[in-house]
Amino acid sequence: PITPGELLCLGSSLAFSGLFYYLFRKKARVAARIQEAPKLQVDDDLPALVSAADGRCLPYVVLEGIVLPAKAALTSHYHEGLQGVIQKLLLKEHRLIWNSLARSW
């Protein structure tokens, strides 16, 4: 005979397994889209291509080309000769709403 506690454990185990499998498949689809991303060159045709795209946005593309640092290139502390640049830093602030129950913004 199976007790109600065992049924509860079995049901919750199946529910969590289903949830984690769904999240795994969702992330696997995103990773596959990133792997299949088209490669574009940074050249004079890129602005026209972006403006012609739906919503003026190109989701999941690989940009290849030469970039120049604004001030100085970042050098790696772990690998000699490896340099990089930060092209753009985006800061997005969300609207704050006072939560009277938690007494926080």
Side-chain angles (χ1 to χ4, degrees):
I2 298 175
T3 64
E6 290 173 339
L7 284 176
L8 179 67
C9 289
L10 178 65
S12 63
S13 175
L14 288 174
F16 279 122
S17 295
L19 173 69
F20 292 139
Y21 182 73
Y22 167 76
L23 293 174
F24 169 75
R25 294 300 302 159
K26 186 177 176 182
K27 297 299 180 187
R29 282 192 298 267
V30 171
R33 285 186 63 196
I34 291 173
Q35 291 293 329
E36 297 168 357
K39 294 182 180 180
L40 303 175
Q41 295 293 324
V42 177
D43 55 8
D44 295 334
D45 299 335
L46 186 61
L49 206 116
V50 171
S51 59
D54 186 33
R56 296 183 54 140
C57 180
L58 297 172
Y60 300 121
V61 296
V62 177
L63 292 177
E64 294 179 337
I66 298 173
V67 295
L68 299 174
K71 294 182 181 175
L74 302 173
T75 57
S76 174
H77 296 287
Y78 304 106
H79 301 284
E80 283 191 32
L82 188 63
Q83 295 182 336
V85 296
I86 297 176
Q87 185 177 3
K88 184 176 181 181
L89 179 63
L90 177 66
L91 176 64
K92 182 177 182 180
E93 293 187 26
H94 298 280
R95 189 176 130 196
L96 296 177
I97 299 173
W98 175 253
N99 185 348
S100 61
L101 183 63
R103 295 182 184 258
S104 66
W105 286 101

